Amino acid sequence: MGTPIHVSGLNAWFGSKQALDNINLDIPPNHATAVIGPSGCGKSTFVRCLNRMHETIPGARAEGTVKVGETDVYGNGTSAVELRRKVGMVFQKPNPFPSMSIYDNVAAGLKLNGLRKRRILDETVEHSLRQAALWDEVKDELKKKSGASLSGGQQQRLCIARALAVQPEVMLMDEPASALDPISTAKIEELIYQLKSEYTIVIVTHNMQQAARVAEFTGFFLLGQLVEFDKTETIFTKPHDKRTEDYITGRFG
Amino acid sequence: MHNTRSGRGLMRWRRFKNLFATCVMSLMALLVLAPLFAVLGDLVRRGAGALHWSFLVNLPTPPGEAGGGMANGIAGSFMMLLVASAIGVPLGIGCGVFLSEYGNNRYGTIIRFTADVLNGVPSIVIGMTVYGLVVITQRHFSLLAGGIALGIMMVPTVSRSTEEMLRMVPQSIREAAWGLGVPRWRTTVSVVLRTATSGIITGIMLAFARVAGETAPLLFTAFGNQFWNFKLNQPTAALPLQIYTYAISAFEDWNQQAWAGALILIVLIIGTIGVVRLVAARGTLRGAA
């Protein structure tokens, strides 16, 4: 089951430069929520704050309240490492582990955290690859081929399978299809559509058609602020804010 | 000028330039390779004559007595390099990991500078230092002291090459592991190091080959030995030492044997590197970047 995300008063900085300014937002469970906005508006920073990947960049920090289900993301007792097992992430550029086989790539999250039981690993790898619609294409060469030998689109689905294998509750996707061709993009979108029944999905995208196709809710970011958050349909047909309207009609950005 | 020249003429001019550049580059490559092959060729020509089976399995004999060999030197070098690698490789890799993953601060700068200085310290000075620290304390020239001296010499090469190789691992690979909830140390060990393995092995082999031929740091540490020694705390023969002694001696047959010893040393180094490469390549997957 997916988990709701509650964000209030979230601020983020890179050194002295503020990247997010007082973000307040509730992301509903078991839906896809799109984050749109021009380059440099803080979209990526926002999703990276949800699993505390933001703070891995030297000089970067974040403040505010983020709750994933019952977990207080920036709470004192919360470990970023454990949080990230609950809040999975898929990155803009496919980044499979080049030294690992396809199997080991998918099993990495479990194996590197100490799980050794073969039966469970085998089952999880197959299940995750099926979920990511990659199983049929790779099942004969699971342990022979490196994850890096796949095509770009396959690599990205491999990365999705890898993220799914640790059984997260939330999936963050940072422009997951922007480096892919239209056919691979369509496959990824299809995947997002199916995954929402089980996960809460937050997807950053530059492509407004993509947001319209996959997401029920959309947030529009501009200059580090959340300008508007609503049902996707509302954002694209009758936005309340003039800036949102300007952006979606292509007047800037 | 392009207007007056026909398309075909232009093409011919380009082909000529291409051919010319290719020739120059090939010549450069040959020039670089020539000294290496000259050394190898000379070694084979002069060394092969003194190479018999007995050379590989017998102890040295006094000058004039036939059938002597460098078996103890081969074994001694082998053991000393084992000790050196046991010290230099883990220390060097550990240092390289620190520099690459945690070394973007003052400590990193200091360690990096120290490693560079250590790399430039003449090898005989390292031998003398180990003499002062180990040999005098132990009251013995020893295999261990020789191994330590060579091990120290391996550290800077291994650590700097490890650092370079780890820096070449894209940040996105680290982020991928962190994003799966893998702790940072585990990411470093199981993902970053593993991704850079082949490059790190190259660095280790470079350091290994460099110290395998060192004579100076062994003069006051391993000292040399005419007989077998398998004890850590006893003076030990080493190929480079024996080559040195034989090469500067006045005896014709010892000079001959020095050439043979040098040939064996080169073959052993190349052989070791080849075996390690083969073993490392076996673990590589199809299509691994």
Side-chain angles (χ1 to χ4, degrees):
Chain A
M1 272 305 282
T3 308
I5 303 170
H6 168 79
V7 180
S8 65
L10 178 67
N11 292 290
W13 292 265
F14 289 101
S16 59
K17 191 181 168 296
Q18 188 158 9
L20 287 180
D21 179 11
N22 192 27
I23 307 295
N24 299 285
L25 175 64
D26 278 293
I27 296 172
N30 297 92
H31 285 87
T33 299
V35 177
I36 61 169
S39 296
C41 69
K43 312 184 289 290
S44 290
T45 308
F46 172 69
V47 292
R48 289 171 66 96
C49 281
L50 302 183
N51 68 344
R52 291 181 58 183
M53 284 298 283
H54 175 65
E55 68 200 40
T56 63
I57 298 164
R61 66 198 170 87
E63 258 170 29
T65 307
V66 177
K67 283 201 163 161
V68 174
E70 294 303 302
T71 311
D72 184 0
V73 171
Y74 288 95
N76 276 332
T78 307
S79 129
V81 169
E82 276 163 36
L83 171 76
R84 290 178 197 138
R85 285 174 209 163
K86 229 194 257 191
V87 185
M89 187 161 208
V90 174
F91 298 82
Q92 183 173 0
K93 256 181 72 188
N95 53 0
F97 301 126
S99 60
M100 294 188 196
S101 66
I102 293 167
Y103 181 97
D104 281 341
N105 259 284
V106 181
L110 299 176
K111 269 186 161 178
L112 297 183
N113 280 317
L115 191 89
R116 287 277 170 274
K117 294 207 178 90
R118 272 296 294 277
R119 201 177 49 81
I120 297 178
L121 288 175
D122 285 352
E123 277 172 12
T124 312
V125 167
E126 176 169 352
H127 181 68
S128 308
L129 283 170
R130 282 190 191 281
Q131 272 184 302
L134 189 61
W135 175 254
D136 290 329
E137 292 163 56
V138 299
K139 63 181 177 207
D140 298 324
E141 298 181 297
L142 278 181
K143 294 186 179 176
K144 276 180 268 166
K145 261 178 132 178
S146 156
S149 67
L150 300 174
S151 75
Q154 289 176 323
Q155 283 187 20
Q156 194 61 303
R157 278 179 285 150
L158 177 65
C159 292
I160 293 175
R162 180 177 66 183
L164 292 174
V166 287
Q167 280 146 5
E169 295 164 17
V170 176
M171 274 289 252
L172 308 175
M173 299 180 143
D174 189 356
E175 300 185 45
S178 66
L180 306 179
D181 68 52
I183 294 169
S184 302
T185 303
K187 283 189 179 158
I188 303 274
E189 287 180 10
E190 173 71 31
L191 212 64
I192 295 169
Y193 216 83
Q194 287 170 6
L195 291 175
K196 348 194 230 216
S197 59
E198 290 174 65
Y199 306 89
T200 303
I201 293 174
V202 183
I203 174 172
V204 173
T205 179
H206 262 297
N207 180 328
M208 283 182 277
Q209 287 79 18
Q210 186 170 65
R213 282 192 298 265
V214 302
E216 286 82 11
F217 296 91
T218 297
F220 171 61
F221 279 68
L222 187 64
L223 301 171
Q225 291 177 324
L226 176 63
V227 173
E228 192 167 351
F229 179 74
D230 214 322
K231 286 209 168 96
T232 302
E233 207 190 323
T234 314
I235 292 277
F236 283 109
T237 51
K238 35 184 188 302
H240 296 288
D241 198 290
K242 179 80 171 62
R243 291 169 292 176
T244 313
E245 190 182 339
D246 286 350
Y247 182 70
I248 60 157
T249 52
R251 233 161 283 170
F252 74 90
Chain B
M1 124 180 170
H2 293 283
N3 291 336
T4 54
R5 202 193 284 271
S6 73
R8 257 171 93 188
L10 185 64
M11 206 58 212
R12 201 176 298 154
W13 173 234
R14 284 181 180 170
R15 283 220 186 90
F16 169 75
K17 280 195 292 186
N18 182 36
L19 186 72
F20 180 74
T22 310
C23 287
V24 171
M25 298 304 155
S26 310
L27 194 72
M28 302 276 191
L30 277 179
L31 273 177
V32 170
L33 289 176
L36 176 67
F37 282 106
V39 168
L40 280 180
D42 205 38
L43 265 184
V44 172
R45 194 169 55 80
R46 298 187 194 234
L51 254 191
H52 297 291
W53 180 241
S54 61
F55 186 82
L56 295 175
V57 295
N58 285 4
L59 286 175
T61 50
E65 203 171 299
M70 292 192 180
N72 59 340
I74 295 171
S77 270
F78 186 75
M79 290 184 293
M80 239 175 275
L81 287 168
L82 219 60
V83 173
S85 303
I87 295 167
V89 171
L91 217 60
I93 291 182
C95 190
V97 168
F98 175 81
L99 287 177
S100 154
E101 306 299 305
Y102 307 94
N104 278 329
N105 48 39
R106 205 152 39 91
Y107 302 108
T109 314
I110 294 170
I111 293 173
R112 211 169 285 125
F113 179 72
T114 312
D116 285 345
V117 171
L118 186 60
N119 209 7
V121 171
S123 55
I124 193 146
V125 175
I126 290 180
M128 283 168 67
T129 309
V130 174
Y131 174 80
L133 291 176
V134 182
V135 177
I136 290 189
T137 326
Q138 266 195 325
R139 296 162 192 249
H140 265 300
F141 293 110
S142 67
L143 193 159
L144 182 68
I148 290 175
L150 297 184
I152 291 174
M153 292 191 64
M154 284 179 82
V155 172
T157 320
V158 174
S159 83
R160 285 312 296 268
S161 64
T162 301
E163 183 191 357
E164 293 306 317
M165 289 305 139
L166 294 186
R167 279 185 191 280
M168 275 166 58
V169 175
Q171 192 63 17
S172 64
I173 297 289
R174 293 180 181 86
E175 288 198 335
W178 297 339
L180 292 171
V182 178
R184 197 162 169 191
W185 68 270
R186 189 80 221 223
T187 302
T188 304
V189 174
S190 303
V191 177
V192 183
L193 271 175
R194 192 167 154 189
T195 305
T197 304
S198 78
I200 293 173
I201 288 177
T202 304
I204 293 172
M205 289 299 102
L206 216 70
F208 178 87
R210 186 186 154 208
V211 300
E214 279 290 347
T215 316
L218 300 181
L219 289 172
F220 327 112
T221 54
F223 190 70
N225 192 332
Q226 291 295 96
F227 304 101
W228 292 105
N229 169 48
F230 297 102
K231 290 201 185 98
L232 270 178
N233 63 350
Q234 293 295 319
T236 309
L239 263 181
L241 276 177
Q242 216 135 338
I243 294 166
Y244 172 71
T245 318
Y246 277 35
I248 60 169
S249 80
F251 309 110
E252 185 63 29
D253 56 337
W254 274 23
N255 294 162
Q256 270 296 317
Q257 290 202 0
W259 283 107
L263 179 60
I264 292 292
L265 182 61
I266 295 275
V267 169
L268 286 181
I269 291 173
I270 294 176
T272 311
I273 292 177
V275 169
V276 171
R277 285 233 160 274
L278 272 181
V279 172
R282 274 184 43 180
T284 310
L285 293 157
R286 217 154 27 98

